[in-house]
Amino acid sequence: MSPVPGTGSLFKRLLVGRAVRSDKLGDTLLPKRLALPIFASDALSSVAYAPDEIMLMLGLAGGAFATTHSWQITIAVVFVMVVVVASYRQNVHAYPSGGGDYEVATVNLGPKAGLTVASALLVDYTLTVAVSVSSGVQNAGTVLDFVQGKEVMVAVIVIVFITAMNLRGVRESGKAFAVPVYLFIFAIIGMGIVGFFQHFNGTLAPAESAGLTLVPEDGKELTGLAAGFLLLRAFSSGCAALTGVEAISNGVPAFKKPKSTNAATTLLLMGTLSITMLASIIALSQWSGIQIADEPATQLLRDGQAVGESYVQNTAIGQLSESVFANFHLGVIFVSIVTGLILFLAANTAFNGFPVLGSILARDGYLPRQLHTRGDRLAFSNGILILAAAAILLVVVFRADVNALLQLYIVGVFVSFTTSQTGMVRHWTRHLRLERNSKERARMQRSRVINAVGAVMSGVVLLVVLITKFEAGARYAILAMIVIFVIMLGIRKHYDRVRDELAIDWDKDKPLLPSHVHAIVCISKIHKPTMRALAYARASRPSYLEAVTVDVDPDETQALLDEWDRHDIPVPLKVLSSPYRQITRPILEYVRSIRSGNPRDIVTVYLPEYVLGKWWEQVLHNQSALRLKGRLLFTPGVMVVSVPWQLASSEGAERDWIDEPPVPGSVRGGNL
Amino acid sequence: MSPVPGTGSLFKRLLVGRAVRSDKLGDTLLPKRLALPIFASDALSSVAYAPDEIMLMLGLAGGAFATTHSWQITIAVVFVMVVVVASYRQNVHAYPSGGGDYEVATVNLGPKAGLTVASALLVDYTLTVAVSVSSGVQNAGTVLDFVQGKEVMVAVIVIVFITAMNLRGVRESGKAFAVPVYLFIFAIIGMGIVGFFQHFNGTLAPAESAGLTLVPEDGKELTGLAAGFLLLRAFSSGCAALTGVEAISNGVPAFKKPKSTNAATTLLLMGTLSITMLASIIALSQWSGIQIADEPATQLLRDGQAVGESYVQNTAIGQLSESVFANFHLGVIFVSIVTGLILFLAANTAFNGFPVLGSILARDGYLPRQLHTRGDRLAFSNGILILAAAAILLVVVFRADVNALLQLYIVGVFVSFTTSQTGMVRHWTRHLRLERNSKERARMQRSRVINAVGAVMSGVVLLVVLITKFEAGARYAILAMIVIFVIMLGIRKHYDRVRDELAIDWDKDKPLLPSHVHAIVCISKIHKPTMRALAYARASRPSYLEAVTVDVDPDETQALLDEWDRHDIPVPLKVLSSPYRQITRPILEYVRSIRSGNPRDIVTVYLPEYVLGKWWEQVLHNQSALRLKGRLLFTPGVMVVSVPWQLASSEGAERDWIDEPPVPGSVRGGNL
């Protein structure tokens, strides 16, 4: 509500745009060139922090350790990526409806498995927003000095901005987001090509941190088990590059036809680009001698002396761009801008996936119905707003610290991968039982092998992630998943219970018509609203009609009775005594006494209600009526009738009062 | 709401006690022996901090300055006290209805003057609670070490405790509070007698701070204007002893009969006790050589060296008790306990005055009606809760610092004194115009002189307080008064506007009976609640009846139509199309189309509503119905009928759902 009628809706119109008709939904389907930036920006953008995390983790055991092992870790991550992309290409063909991992798990492994996947994905979507935006702000901080020290505030502002963009609907977001994603791909691949050329010509400048010595965090080199654990930890962090694969499989219905083929192609394209960029950044980082430390102030030595707190450790991409474009400062700025931008856009992937999943869960009764049935611009406003709130909470709690947030990350993704791929194996096994065509059978068997490899691989990675990150933060993510799981199961059980209770057994529950209607009009004063309530009650021609007032103050009651007589109001006025000067209880008791004398009758209670334009005006009125209504609803055989009186101030306020968002249709997830 | 049905009300029963019948109100009237502790504990308790403030302010100019002038200040304060008590004895006789200063100002100077007084008193009641509790906690800290450093938390707990006591009603509070007040009077007067005896026998031990030298805060003695200003500041602080006088004049209706005479006697008793205690504490402080400094760490020197941060400055009463009872340690502990207690009880004065004033203001339309018409135990729960919240806010913001809070204090009291006494002069002038009896006239003229002196005196003190405390904090109090004044005026204007708009001109506004009733039952599914709504609607025999559903999903709509036919439901089902998949708008537009065709008809919309036991269950349902109702209320000629369906979980939850507090009667302020 806004003081000037109409500005509220105008503001909403500007922010959210105009409502979209159902039959125009086809227009919002995405061609591949828009689907790639929308659904793949998460996976692509992770090359902005995944290399740093690999080097940082390895660097805990010193610079030599990092140099030796970073290539091994990269190859392991790339291998996992290849397997996962191959697996998900099977998914998008088998399940083109966009339920994604949730659908696959539910159909093949049962509702509890589906719900597990859903809980995991909801948590990870939130973390995607928090991690990407925090990393984007960190990146922006390397060029924009004023951001430093205000990371949390800037990150919150960015999330709010992305939220507003998404409330405008998927199409506009797509267009707005496409350009920076392509610019990022261009910048990183371009930097790679130039860098490789320079390296093989021997003209690649050393990085700003190349002259530093990276010492182990606790001062000594690691060996044996400890070294192995560190390698696994670095691998876990590197696997952040794999998030976002499921975004495409969840988003299949948003693709233009042929949906599955287009989605599979986009998936392949995304995997190839991701691997290329990750590998080239790691390679160039090695060649230019970049050192990334967990505690730069103490771990990095210059001429044997710790560099101290004043040292600002730039990201790998940042240092790399300064080496490659040492004589082309515009290139450095360009890389830094597009990196920051794509990270913000990566958060958008979650803003596409989260509300769709939430809506599907609401449709299945696991979340409140509102999440399914409301929203402007065919997007799912409620889900978007919940995601934004949760992400802001994470950013604030973890002070926008990318490294801390990454410890909670990707557990959910690999829970989802593992469950979904296991489900896919079951899927093919089931279909193979029915399929007789040998060519089809061969294709299915090949798919089953791919998905089986995917399942085993994801399971192993999940174990590694759990072991290496549990203490560091993953336990909070798992706790959140369990809480969400339990809440969703509780909501579903509640809806089931209510449905059973409300179901009609047509043989037994013959609806009986009540025999009489006793109408009661509650009166405290004689004025227009009460006279209207009386007139409406009379027009409804009940079997019995009386006005009722509660005797709280004898003088006022007498004055009311006198006025009633003076104006010859043609309805009897009954006075209810109230020794404790209550209003609700005497009316309740009177209603119950009518019902107990005539159990087949119903009692209709007419309450005059004032309608005002401003919320604070509303607070000053109707309080007794609201209380009375709240109690009457618990009394069987009673109807409560609100007879509104619109005061002058209510005019024009209706538009602001309660918004009427269109209900999203079934296209984006309803046909599961 | 509580998970176990009934525990909520049981808890409330324990905390608030049982409801009191109107005809038992007589029982809660107070005899003088209970009225004194209840209404005068504020004024009496101020001797616990007023002497400290006088000495502390004078001490800013050094120990010699304080010693020379503290007697002068005390005499000035005592003189003001005598005049104010004499003036208010006129008030309680002339206005025995307990409207107090608000009533006097409103009747004699107009509503704006009354509202000014009311704003001032509301602010000062809040400050009374904050100051008294903070000072009590400070006092307790001198004996109970664990309180030190946790003053804010302890003060908040004390306020919560006093609030709970007051929610139980005035009678119980009276009894619980009487004993400590009398013990405090006994302790201070007793200490005074023993101390005087010791002094004149030459056996009074020097105070712990007697050996210290008090130097001026800025290092040099004050002269001329600066010294004069400091004297006025000390006088302002000393006037804190005068708060609470108006509490008795506001509380006249709570006295036993003869109300006015009893109140006047209590007032005189209170004034005498207050002056005696204040004077004896100041005298003994001088004789025992007590030094109180604003900044003890730097202002107090021992052998020429500042005592430093480790020095703990005890209150004047604390130091005094240690001198007088040097050989009787139990006496020291006794004084300290009763001092702490009476300060907490002083806060209770405000808990008596604030809700009564709030209720009177609500009755006059300056505050929301709820404040007038609701409350348990004949006390005014809403006012009590608001006062507690505001006081807690003050304590938290000012970190329970007595000296800081005192800078905001007593502005309101003297605004109230001055306005009220001016009003009293007008009162007598008006009555003198009509009175012919010469004996009565002489009495009235004498009263008028007393009130005129009171008015001038209060006005001068108000000016002094404003000048000396404005910068130090009084401006915040004044700002709060202005804000409260404006809000209350706005609420009154709103109620007046609504009353005028709703008033019936019986010559013009002939109520017309609507010609037909169109009934619409909103259906989304076929289950028990919708069938009940249909049955009730049919029993009401409207002129036209139809069921209506909104076509959001074509498949679901078709299924509903099929089921409707299959069960032969004898009401036509109309399908409203909804291209934007909205629910509310199509129904609204349909209702409007019926009305525009038949403007003299009314439309009755039946909404099935689920009633559940827990709030979180409620959140999962009825959202669409609530939205629809919110919009329908703005549409003229529409009635909204809630047909509740009580689910099993609602059973027994009614008691917790909405409480039904008795409405306070008119005895404590309604007969103004």
Side-chain angles (χ1 to χ4, degrees):
Chain A
M1 269 141 300
S2 63
V4 184
T7 53
S9 45
L10 179 66
F11 179 69
K12 201 185 173 204
R13 181 72 85 73
L14 281 172
L15 197 73
V16 181
R18 283 166 54 198
V20 176
R21 283 177 66 107
S22 294
D23 46 22
K24 289 211 175 152
L25 248 181
D27 287 1
T28 63
L29 294 181
L30 303 166
K32 285 196 292 288
R33 67 174 190 283
L34 284 182
L36 180 72
I38 287 182
F39 291 115
S41 58
D42 176 14
L44 297 179
S45 70
S46 59
V47 300
Y49 49 83
D52 295 67
E53 277 296 304
I54 294 173
M55 288 188 267
L56 180 151
M57 283 295 158
L58 294 173
L60 288 176
F65 191 85
T67 313
T68 323
H69 295 286
S70 59
W71 260 109
Q72 295 167 10
I73 300 297
T74 308
I75 288 166
V77 171
V78 166
F79 177 66
V80 174
M81 173 77 93
V82 170
V83 172
V84 168
V85 166
S87 305
Y88 269 89
R89 278 168 56 86
Q90 315 308 315
N91 287 40
V92 297
H93 280 294
Y95 291 87
S97 57
D101 294 344
Y102 168 69
E103 184 185 355
V104 173
T106 306
V107 170
N108 296 299
L109 303 171
K112 293 262 168 79
L115 208 54
T116 307
V117 168
S119 313
L121 285 178
L122 290 176
V123 170
D124 253 39
Y125 279 137
T126 314
L127 278 160
T128 299
V129 176
V131 167
S132 302
V133 172
S134 298
S135 174
V137 170
Q138 192 192 31
N139 257 283
T142 61
V143 189
L144 309 170
D145 288 346
F146 67 87
V147 172
Q148 283 166 13
K150 296 186 196 116
E151 283 85 359
V152 176
M153 201 186 64
V154 176
V156 169
I157 292 171
V158 169
I159 293 175
V160 169
F161 179 75
I162 296 176
T163 306
M165 293 276 290
N166 271 279
L167 288 173
R168 287 189 60 91
V170 77
R171 191 75 192 284
E172 282 81 345
S173 322
K175 277 180 184 163
F177 292 179
V179 176
V181 175
Y182 284 115
L183 289 179
F184 176 74
I185 297 170
F186 171 75
I188 301 297
I189 305 269
M191 183 168 76
I193 292 170
V194 175
F196 269 66
F197 182 81
Q198 288 174 340
H199 173 65
F200 291 111
N201 272 314
T203 58
L204 180 63
E208 60 186 58
S209 57
L212 305 177
T213 312
L214 179 58
V215 297
E217 192 164 41
D218 53 359
K220 57 177 192 284
E221 306 265 334
L222 287 178
T223 48
L225 260 181
F229 187 79
L230 199 63
L231 287 175
L232 290 178
R233 240 185 120 179
F235 168 70
S236 295
S237 296
C239 282
L242 274 95
T243 57
V245 173
E246 84 292 351
I248 287 181
S249 88
N250 287 336
V252 182
F255 278 82
K256 278 209 170 149
K257 289 178 181 175
K259 291 174 187 289
S260 295
T261 311
N262 282 336
T265 310
T266 309
L267 203 45
L268 188 62
L269 200 59
M270 186 212 79
T272 314
L273 284 169
S274 222
I275 289 170
T276 311
M277 293 195 285
L278 182 69
S280 64
I281 289 173
I282 292 280
L284 285 174
S285 296
Q286 295 297 310
W287 293 334
S288 62
I290 290 175
Q291 312 278 355
I292 303 278
D294 184 32
E295 298 285 354
T298 55
Q299 273 188 276
L300 292 178
L301 310 184
R302 177 174 281 125
D303 309 326
Q305 291 288 314
V307 292
E309 295 296 337
S310 63
Y311 178 78
V312 177
Q313 175 171 280
N314 283 326
T315 59
I317 287 186
Q319 297 193 36
L320 215 48
S321 65
E322 288 186 357
S323 294
V324 174
F325 301 125
N327 303 315
F328 178 51
H329 193 60
L330 223 59
V332 178
I333 292 174
F334 178 72
V335 169
S336 130
I337 288 175
V338 294
T339 307
L341 273 181
I342 199 184
L343 281 161
F344 299 152
L345 304 188
N348 192 57
T349 311
F351 275 96
N352 278 280
F354 186 95
V356 175
L357 182 57
S359 165
I360 292 171
L361 289 167
R363 184 207 54 198
D364 292 355
Y366 292 115
L367 288 176
R369 295 264 155 76
Q370 297 92 289
L371 288 177
H372 180 49
T373 50
R374 295 213 186 107
D376 253 340
R377 292 295 285 179
L378 309 186
F380 300 56
S381 324
N382 280 314
I384 288 172
L385 293 172
I386 291 171
L387 174 63
I392 287 173
L393 185 73
L394 274 176
V395 164
V396 171
V397 168
F398 287 91
R399 314 293 314 149
D401 179 341
V402 178
N403 188 36
L405 284 165
L406 273 174
Q407 305 310 312
L408 280 70
Y409 202 33
I410 77 165
V411 180
V413 172
F414 277 93
V415 167
S416 168
F417 283 174
T418 311
T419 321
S420 159
Q421 294 308 317
T422 311
M424 284 304 289
V425 174
R426 277 252 197 123
H427 169 87
W428 299 124
T429 307
R430 217 178 52 236
H431 278 71
L432 275 168
R433 255 186 245 128
L434 304 169
E435 186 62 57
R436 291 289 157 256
N437 181 321
S438 66
K439 204 171 149 195
E440 267 304 293
R441 284 186 65 86
R443 199 183 58 74
M444 285 182 177
Q445 264 156 344
R446 195 182 50 119
S447 291
R448 183 166 67 171
V449 170
I450 296 175
N451 284 129
V453 172
V456 172
M457 168 74 73
S458 308
V460 171
V461 175
L462 175 60
L463 256 177
V464 170
V465 171
L466 275 179
I467 291 168
T468 55
K469 292 190 165 182
F470 189 83
E471 277 295 320
R475 54 186 165 173
Y476 300 116
I478 290 165
L479 186 69
M481 286 173 207
I482 293 171
V483 169
I484 291 172
F485 182 91
V486 170
I487 289 175
M488 292 203 295
L489 209 60
I491 291 176
R492 172 60 186 261
K493 278 190 179 152
H494 169 80
Y495 277 131
D496 286 351
R497 213 165 46 234
V498 168
R499 195 197 51 215
D500 293 346
E501 203 179 331
L502 300 184
I504 301 171
D505 180 347
W506 290 91
D507 299 323
K508 260 174 50 195
D509 302 327
K510 266 277 153 247
L512 280 176
L513 272 198
S515 35
H516 296 104
V517 177
H518 291 256
I520 289 174
V521 184
C522 295
I523 304 276
S524 61
K525 281 194 203 75
I526 294 180
H527 50 32
K528 288 175 181 169
T530 45
M531 289 300 106
R532 174 181 281 183
L534 266 183
Y536 282 15
R538 286 172 65 200
S540 303
R541 293 185 196 82
S543 324
Y544 311 98
L545 171 62
E546 54 189 348
V548 154
T549 191
V550 180
D551 178 22
V552 171
D553 180 315
D555 299 340
E556 281 177 24
T557 306
Q558 194 51 53
L560 180 68
L561 284 168
D562 293 345
E563 203 179 349
W564 198 266
D565 289 343
R566 196 161 62 243
H567 294 299
D568 255 340
I569 297 171
V571 175
L573 174 60
K574 188 177 182 69
V575 178
L576 302 176
S577 76
S578 177
Y580 295 100
R581 277 157 291 121
Q582 295 154 310
I583 293 172
T584 312
R585 193 176 294 270
I587 295 177
L588 266 179
E589 280 166 5
Y590 182 62
V591 166
R592 285 196 193 120
S593 76
I594 294 173
R595 275 277 297 178
S596 67
N598 317 274
R600 282 203 49 212
D601 292 2
I602 47 172
V603 182
T604 312
V605 181
Y606 288 83
L607 299 173
E609 211 168 293
Y610 306 151
V611 181
L612 299 105
K614 310 270 178 294
W615 68 263
W616 62 265
E617 293 181 330
Q618 209 69 37
V619 167
L620 297 173
H621 300 275
N622 298 327
Q623 298 295 332
S624 301
L626 277 177
R627 263 166 181 261
L628 183 57
K629 192 192 160 188
R631 288 302 281 276
L632 284 171
L633 288 181
F634 283 92
T635 316
V638 171
M639 286 195 287
V640 183
V641 184
S642 301
V643 185
W645 178 275
Q646 293 85 15
L647 281 121
S649 75
S650 76
E651 234 172 283
E654 187 197 0
R655 273 164 295 163
D656 303 333
W657 186 245
I658 293 178
D659 278 296
E660 162 74 328
V663 174
S666 55
V667 174
R668 293 195 63 196
N671 52 353
L672 188 149
Chain B
M1 268 140 299
S2 65
V4 184
T7 53
S9 44
L10 179 66
F11 179 72
K12 200 184 175 206
R13 183 71 87 74
L14 281 173
L15 196 74
V16 181
R18 286 170 47 201
V20 177
R21 284 177 66 104
S22 295
D23 46 23
K24 290 211 174 154
L25 248 183
D27 288 0
T28 63
L29 293 180
L30 303 166
K32 284 196 291 292
R33 68 173 189 283
L34 284 182
L36 179 73
I38 287 182
F39 291 116
S41 58
D42 177 14
L44 298 180
S45 71
S46 58
V47 300
Y49 49 84
D52 295 69
E53 278 296 304
I54 294 174
M55 290 188 267
L56 181 151
M57 282 296 158
L58 293 173
L60 288 176
F65 192 85
T67 312
T68 325
H69 296 285
S70 58
W71 261 109
Q72 296 167 7
I73 300 296
T74 307
I75 288 166
V77 171
V78 166
F79 178 66
V80 174
M81 173 76 93
V82 169
V83 171
V84 168
V85 166
S87 304
Y88 269 90
R89 278 167 57 85
Q90 315 308 314
N91 287 40
V92 297
H93 281 294
Y95 291 87
S97 57
D101 295 344
Y102 168 69
E103 185 185 354
V104 173
T106 306
V107 170
N108 296 298
L109 303 171
K112 291 263 168 79
L115 207 54
T116 307
V117 168
S119 313
L121 284 179
L122 290 177
V123 170
D124 252 39
Y125 278 137
T126 314
L127 278 160
T128 299
V129 177
V131 167
S132 302
V133 172
S134 299
S135 174
V137 171
Q138 191 192 32
N139 256 282
T142 60
V143 190
L144 309 171
D145 287 346
F146 67 86
V147 172
Q148 284 167 12
K150 295 185 195 117
E151 282 85 358
V152 175
M153 200 186 66
V154 176
V156 170
I157 292 171
V158 169
I159 293 174
V160 170
F161 179 76
I162 297 175
T163 306
M165 294 277 290
N166 271 278
L167 287 173
R168 287 188 61 90
V170 78
R171 190 74 192 283
E172 284 81 344
S173 322
K175 278 179 182 164
F177 291 179
V179 176
V181 175
Y182 284 114
L183 290 179
F184 176 74
I185 297 169
F186 171 76
I188 300 298
I189 304 269
M191 183 169 74
I193 292 170
V194 175
F196 270 65
F197 181 82
Q198 288 174 341
H199 174 64
F200 291 112
N201 272 314
T203 58
L204 180 63
E208 60 186 58
S209 58
L212 305 177
T213 312
L214 178 59
V215 296
E217 193 164 41
D218 54 0
K220 57 176 190 285
E221 307 265 333
L222 287 178
T223 48
L225 259 181
F229 186 80
L230 200 61
L231 286 175
L232 289 179
R233 241 187 119 178
F235 168 71
S236 295
S237 295
C239 283
L242 274 95
T243 56
V245 172
E246 84 292 349
I248 288 180
S249 88
N250 286 337
V252 183
F255 279 81
K256 277 212 168 148
K257 291 178 180 176
K259 292 175 187 290
S260 295
T261 311
N262 283 336
T265 310
T266 308
L267 202 46
L268 188 61
L269 201 58
M270 185 213 79
T272 314
L273 283 170
S274 221
I275 289 170
T276 311
M277 294 195 285
L278 180 68
S280 64
I281 290 173
I282 291 280
L284 285 173
S285 296
Q286 296 297 308
W287 294 335
S288 62
I290 290 174
Q291 313 278 356
I292 303 279
D294 185 31
E295 297 284 353
T298 53
Q299 273 188 274
L300 292 176
L301 310 184
R302 177 175 280 126
D303 309 325
Q305 290 290 314
V307 293
E309 295 295 338
S310 64
Y311 178 78
V312 178
Q313 175 170 280
N314 283 326
T315 58
I317 287 185
Q319 297 193 36
L320 216 48
S321 66
E322 287 186 358
S323 293
V324 173
F325 301 125
N327 303 315
F328 178 50
H329 193 60
L330 222 60
V332 178
I333 293 173
F334 179 71
V335 169
S336 128
I337 288 173
V338 294
T339 307
L341 273 182
I342 200 185
L343 281 160
F344 298 152
L345 303 189
N348 192 57
T349 311
F351 275 96
N352 279 279
F354 185 95
V356 175
L357 181 57
S359 165
I360 293 170
L361 289 167
R363 185 206 54 200
D364 292 353
Y366 292 115
L367 287 177
R369 295 262 156 77
Q370 296 92 287
L371 288 178
H372 180 48
T373 50
R374 294 212 186 110
D376 254 340
R377 290 297 285 179
L378 308 186
F380 299 58
S381 324
N382 281 313
I384 289 173
L385 292 173
I386 291 171
L387 173 62
I392 287 174
L393 184 73
L394 274 176
V395 164
V396 170
V397 169
F398 286 92
R399 313 296 311 152
D401 180 341
V402 179
N403 188 36
L405 284 165
L406 273 174
Q407 307 308 314
L408 281 70
Y409 202 32
I410 77 166
V411 180
V413 173
F414 278 92
V415 167
S416 167
F417 284 173
T418 311
T419 321
S420 158
Q421 294 308 316
T422 311
M424 284 304 289
V425 174
R426 277 254 196 124
H427 169 87
W428 299 123
T429 308
R430 216 177 54 234
H431 279 70
L432 277 169
R433 255 186 245 131
L434 304 167
E435 187 60 60
R436 290 293 159 252
N437 181 321
S438 66
K439 204 172 145 194
E440 266 305 291
R441 285 187 64 85
R443 199 184 58 74
M444 284 183 178
Q445 264 156 346
R446 195 182 50 118
S447 290
R448 183 165 67 170
V449 170
I450 295 176
N451 285 130
V453 173
V456 172
M457 167 74 74
S458 307
V460 170
V461 176
L462 176 59
L463 256 178
V464 171
V465 170
L466 275 180
I467 290 167
T468 55
K469 292 189 166 185
F470 189 81
E471 277 294 321
R475 54 185 165 174
Y476 300 117
I478 290 164
L479 186 69
M481 287 172 208
I482 293 170
V483 169
I484 291 172
F485 182 91
V486 169
I487 289 175
M488 292 202 295
L489 209 61
I491 291 176
R492 172 61 185 261
K493 277 189 180 150
H494 169 79
Y495 278 132
D496 286 351
R497 213 166 45 235
V498 168
R499 196 197 51 217
D500 293 345
E501 202 178 331
L502 300 185
I504 301 171
D505 182 347
W506 289 92
D507 299 323
K508 259 175 46 196
D509 302 327
K510 265 278 155 247
L512 280 177
L513 273 197
S515 36
H516 296 106
V517 177
H518 290 257
I520 289 175
V521 184
C522 294
I523 305 274
S524 62
K525 280 194 204 77
I526 294 179
H527 51 32
K528 288 175 180 171
T530 44
M531 289 300 106
R532 174 181 281 184
L534 266 183
Y536 282 15
R538 287 173 65 199
S540 304
R541 292 186 197 81
S543 323
Y544 310 99
L545 171 62
E546 55 189 347
V548 154
T549 192
V550 179
D551 178 23
V552 171
D553 180 314
D555 298 341
E556 281 177 21
T557 306
Q558 194 51 53
L560 180 68
L561 284 168
D562 294 346
E563 204 179 348
W564 198 266
D565 289 343
R566 197 160 61 244
H567 294 300
D568 254 340
I569 297 170
V571 175
L573 174 60
K574 189 179 180 69
V575 177
L576 302 176
S577 76
S578 176
Y580 294 100
R581 278 158 290 118
Q582 295 154 310
I583 293 173
T584 312
R585 192 175 295 269
I587 296 177
L588 267 177
E589 279 167 5
Y590 183 60
V591 166
R592 287 196 192 119
S593 75
I594 295 174
R595 276 277 298 178
S596 66
N598 318 274
R600 282 204 49 213
D601 294 1
I602 47 171
V603 182
T604 311
V605 181
Y606 287 84
L607 298 174
E609 210 168 291
Y610 306 151
V611 181
L612 299 107
K614 310 268 178 294
W615 68 265
W616 61 264
E617 294 180 329
Q618 209 69 37
V619 167
L620 297 174
H621 301 275
N622 298 327
Q623 300 294 334
S624 302
L626 277 176
R627 266 167 178 258
L628 183 56
K629 192 191 161 189
R631 288 301 281 276
L632 283 171
L633 288 180
F634 283 91
T635 316
V638 171
M639 286 195 288
V640 183
V641 184
S642 301
V643 185
W645 178 274
Q646 292 84 15
L647 281 121
S649 75
S650 76
E651 234 172 282
E654 188 197 358
R655 274 164 294 166
D656 302 331
W657 187 245
I658 294 179
D659 278 296
E660 163 72 331
V663 176
S666 54
V667 173
R668 294 195 63 195
N671 51 352
L672 188 150

